[in-house]
Amino acid sequence: MQKDKNRIYIFDTTLRDGEQSPGASMNIEEKLIIAKQLENLGVDIIEAGFPIASEGDFQAVRRIAREIKKCQIAALARANKTDIDRAWQAIKNAAQPRIHTFISSSDIHLKYQLKKTRRQVLEEAITAVTHARSYTDNVEFSAMDATRTDKDYLVDMVSAVIAAGARTVNVPDTVGYALPEEYGSLIAYLFANVKNVADTIISVHCHNDLGVAVANSLAAVTKGARQVECTINGIGERAGNTALEEIVMALNTRKDLFGLHTKIKTEQIFKSSRLLTQVTGIPVQPNKAIVGANAFAHESGIHQDGLIKEKSTYEIMTPQSVGITDTHIVMGKHSGRNAIAQHYKKMGYSLTEDQLNKITAKVKDLADKKKDIYDEDLEAILYEEVYRGEDKYALVYLNVVSGNVAIPSATMEMQVDKEIIRDAGFGNGPVDATFAAIRNITKTNYPLLKYAVNAITGGSDALGEVNVQLKYDGYSVMGRGAHPDVIVASAKAYINALNRLEFLKENVKKVKVE
Ligand code: KIV
Ligand code: ZN
């Protein structure tokens, strides 16, 4: 029985559905870093992965289950014994484990994908929930493609899994087909027709194919849904999932309308968003609500005038409330080791002696090249120096010749599996030549899907942030690199993408879900 009727549970699936974003695959260390930040953010449930999908997924879920104490840790499993057993093995040591099992319920999926009758699928759902309950009473069931499912069959299925012991029942809009009024009505229909729903948390899981995932989730909570499944920055399969920061801030900002609340520490939102970008290399569009670079930037003179007079004229929430502080100058080349450690601490990172040694050298290095150092620069250094795991490839040395009369060329030295290899490349420009050199050294030639450069902070001496996307066998991987020299940042991004690709090759998902 839910004690606080107005409480919305935040179920974060960044590490599972979010990881299904093209290019978003993360290694175990990276998943753990994200999980720790989700814990700081105050999410109620972390869906840590899909343990049957690969050995890498299993190990990541197990590690997260062992190390995260304040959140429930969910593992995904199809509605069969093997998946559920594997999921349980991964989460059994968690402080609060949850098995999340699912099966499709729409006729389209039953006919073309599962090739099973409604009766068969209903029985499998009941058997799966009963089996999951033999391990834990914290069982969630999802009726995949619920929004294209016959309503009365959905009522039968939801009633049956509740009777079998599911404590949370999720109603996914798997293909992002529903519109807000319709989705809200579906949730209301379930409350009106599922006789044993009273003690169950109804959950919503919306995909953003029509751009209404957040609106759908909001419509659902007005009809009684009390768990929202979402991801940081809205990443996820295809067009992504409900964005955590948007749903939480909508509920917060319009408390007058919804009268609902979450336990999210909103001041941790921006940090979570930046961290995910650093880890996955997937940038956030500038006009993205809440966490985009322009979300709190006022360009119009009339708006600026209003803001000077009274902030509430044009600001419905403050940047501080989501953890965006003024990008102030924090470090210079005279900043000592202690000051650096203190500043990271203020940003919420506690560093070990070893980590601090590595970072201090890099901060001083950067301070030699760049006048002012900002929080974003410090985060970029932290990620590159500390969080990135042992890689197959590393950049040792890069020298590039280019200009309006030279043939662009790059000479390069790289470490490949501990061996130092030197080679050169030519190209149409310095970046092209650098990538050619990397391909020669690594003897790889993956198609380049995307190359993008951004400045992390303002000014011509800013750190350049480069994103590179490579294609591999129907998958894509993102790489990210940051450096004051954009050619070096480009090399780092390409090498990062190659390292991720190596990880992906070993951990290619054997099973894919929407
Ligand atoms: O979109 C979906 O239906 C899913 C389920 C596995 C919950 O991700
Ligand atoms: Zn999904």
Side-chain angles (χ1 to χ4, degrees):
M1 182 71 172
Q2 191 181 350
K3 281 185 228 103
D4 179 356
K5 293 255 176 243
N6 298 328
R7 161 96 185 270
I8 298 292
Y9 291 92
I10 296 296
F11 176 113
D12 182 280
T13 184
T14 305
L15 297 174
R16 200 278 297 167
D17 213 321
E19 209 212 3
Q20 291 171 217
S21 284
S25 60
M26 295 172 240
N27 64 33
I28 296 175
E29 294 301 326
E30 291 170 334
K31 285 185 178 174
L32 194 62
I33 291 162
I34 298 288
K36 286 188 175 155
Q37 179 54 23
L38 291 173
E39 189 178 37
N40 293 338
L41 178 64
V43 308
D44 298 288
I45 304 112
I46 295 175
E47 186 163 52
F50 188 19
I52 198 83
S54 70
E55 182 58 26
D57 258 42
F58 177 83
Q59 295 300 346
V61 176
R62 198 157 72 141
R63 196 68 202 277
I64 291 167
R66 286 189 172 151
E67 298 203 20
I68 302 293
K69 296 289 171 230
K70 294 192 202 134
C71 312
Q72 297 179 44
I73 304 298
L76 187 67
R78 286 168 301 184
N80 67 57
K81 188 172 179 307
T82 319
D83 274 35
I84 292 169
D85 290 346
R86 190 78 174 142
W88 179 248
Q89 285 311 311
I91 55 168
K92 65 180 181 195
N93 292 318
Q96 306 170 69
R98 172 182 291 199
I99 297 175
H100 176 194
T101 185
F102 73 98
I103 196 163
S104 289
S105 54
S106 68
D107 286 339
I108 305 179
H109 283 206
L110 266 56
K111 181 169 174 197
Y112 296 107
Q113 195 179 12
L114 301 185
K115 302 192 194 321
K116 286 180 181 160
T117 64
R118 285 186 182 180
R119 175 173 282 278
Q120 277 174 310
V121 168
L122 188 65
E123 272 162 17
E124 284 180 26
I126 296 168
T127 310
V129 171
T130 310
H131 184 56
R133 275 298 304 252
S134 69
Y135 290 125
T136 171
D137 61 3
N138 191 357
V139 174
E140 170 170 343
F141 173 81
S142 285
M144 194 165 176
D145 204 19
T147 50
R148 294 191 302 168
T149 297
D150 175 80
K151 276 201 178 106
D152 293 324
Y153 179 58
L154 189 61
V155 167
D156 289 346
M157 187 175 263
V158 173
S159 312
V161 294
I162 293 174
R167 209 160 75 176
T168 305
V169 178
N170 185 30
V171 187
D173 184 25
T174 304
V175 291
Y177 176 71
L179 293 174
E181 214 182 306
E182 183 186 26
Y183 193 57
S185 304
L186 176 62
I187 301 300
Y189 189 82
L190 291 176
F191 275 108
N193 292 283
V194 175
K195 300 279 180 293
N196 52 354
V197 76
D199 292 341
T200 310
I201 301 276
I202 293 293
S203 169
V204 290
H205 174 114
C206 299
H207 280 271
N208 205 28
D209 300 68
L210 295 175
V212 289
V214 175
N216 281 348
S217 306
L218 288 172
V221 297
T222 65
K223 303 296 180 194
R226 286 294 175 266
Q227 175 177 288
V228 176
E229 306 199 355
C230 46
T231 59
I232 303 291
N233 297 342
I235 67 166
E237 186 79 25
R238 306 183 310 280
N241 291 65
T242 297
L244 180 147
E245 59 280 5
E246 294 179 24
I247 186 93
V248 167
M249 290 315 286
L251 292 173
N252 252 23
T253 309
R254 299 309 310 271
K255 210 172 252 154
D256 58 322
L257 203 66
F258 295 106
L260 300 168
H261 61 94
T262 69
K263 286 258 163 83
I264 294 295
K265 296 184 189 94
T266 61
E267 310 74 37
Q268 291 288 328
I269 283 180
F270 188 61
K271 184 173 165 201
S272 310
S273 162
R274 285 278 322 157
L275 184 66
L276 186 68
T277 298
Q278 304 261 7
V279 168
T280 59
I282 300 177
V284 166
Q285 79 208 50
N287 59 323
K288 163 86 176 61
I290 319 293
V291 291
N294 298 342
F296 293 92
H298 299 269
E299 192 73 18
S300 138
I302 296 174
H303 290 203
Q304 288 173 355
D305 174 61
L307 277 169
I308 291 165
K309 291 174 177 147
E310 164 56 43
K311 286 241 189 276
S312 62
T313 49
Y314 290 94
E315 212 168 68
I316 57 165
M317 57 196 153
T318 65
Q320 291 77 15
S321 67
V322 296
I324 301 176
T325 47
D326 294 340
T327 24
H328 51 286
I329 303 159
V330 295
M331 292 282 142
K333 65 187 198 183
H334 302 297
S335 304
R337 197 167 173 280
N338 246 349
I340 294 171
Q342 281 313 316
H343 197 82
Y344 272 108
K345 202 159 188 189
K346 260 207 328 231
M347 287 163 64
Y349 301 100
S350 295
L351 304 177
T352 63
E353 286 293 298
D354 217 35
Q355 293 170 338
L356 191 58
N357 290 342
K358 276 192 195 166
I359 282 184
T360 306
K362 289 288 164 184
V363 172
K364 286 185 178 280
D365 237 27
L366 184 62
D368 274 339
K369 300 191 177 91
K370 185 174 185 292
K371 202 163 102 262
D372 305 320
I373 299 184
Y374 299 87
D375 284 4
E376 289 88 336
D377 297 323
L378 293 181
E379 272 175 355
I381 292 175
L382 178 68
Y383 180 67
E384 295 217 341
E385 298 307 315
V386 172
Y387 288 164
R388 243 177 222 175
E390 271 286 293
D391 285 332
K392 178 178 173 76
Y393 304 113
L395 173 65
V396 179
Y397 160 97
L398 173 65
N399 183 39
V400 175
V401 179
S402 77
N404 65 345
V405 289
I407 296 174
S409 66
T411 316
M412 199 169 189
E413 222 172 67
M414 280 177 67
Q415 186 174 315
V416 180
D417 284 331
K418 310 254 183 292
E419 192 190 341
I420 300 292
I421 303 180
R422 185 185 303 164
D423 210 330
F426 295 95
N428 289 329
V431 173
D432 200 33
T434 302
F435 289 178
I438 297 175
R439 284 194 293 268
N440 290 341
I441 291 175
T442 57
K443 302 195 179 12
T444 59
N445 195 7
Y446 300 106
L448 178 69
L449 294 178
K450 189 179 134 190
Y451 171 77
V453 188
N454 274 305
I456 292 188
T457 52
S460 59
D461 64 352
L463 272 191
E465 182 179 51
V466 175
N467 291 290
V468 161
Q469 193 173 16
L470 299 177
K471 188 169 168 216
Y472 161 71
D473 193 23
Y475 291 87
S476 69
V477 286
M478 295 288 285
R480 183 191 162 281
H483 195 271
D485 180 328
V486 287
I487 311 299
V488 178
S490 304
K492 287 180 149 202
Y494 196 106
I495 292 168
N496 180 228
L498 286 179
N499 283 321
R500 286 174 177 279
L501 213 143
E502 284 304 312
F503 176 77
L504 183 77
K505 275 191 199 163
E506 282 164 28
N507 290 282
V508 167
K509 298 267 180 293
K510 294 179 192 74
V511 188
K512 272 196 116 196
V513 273
E514 292 287 284

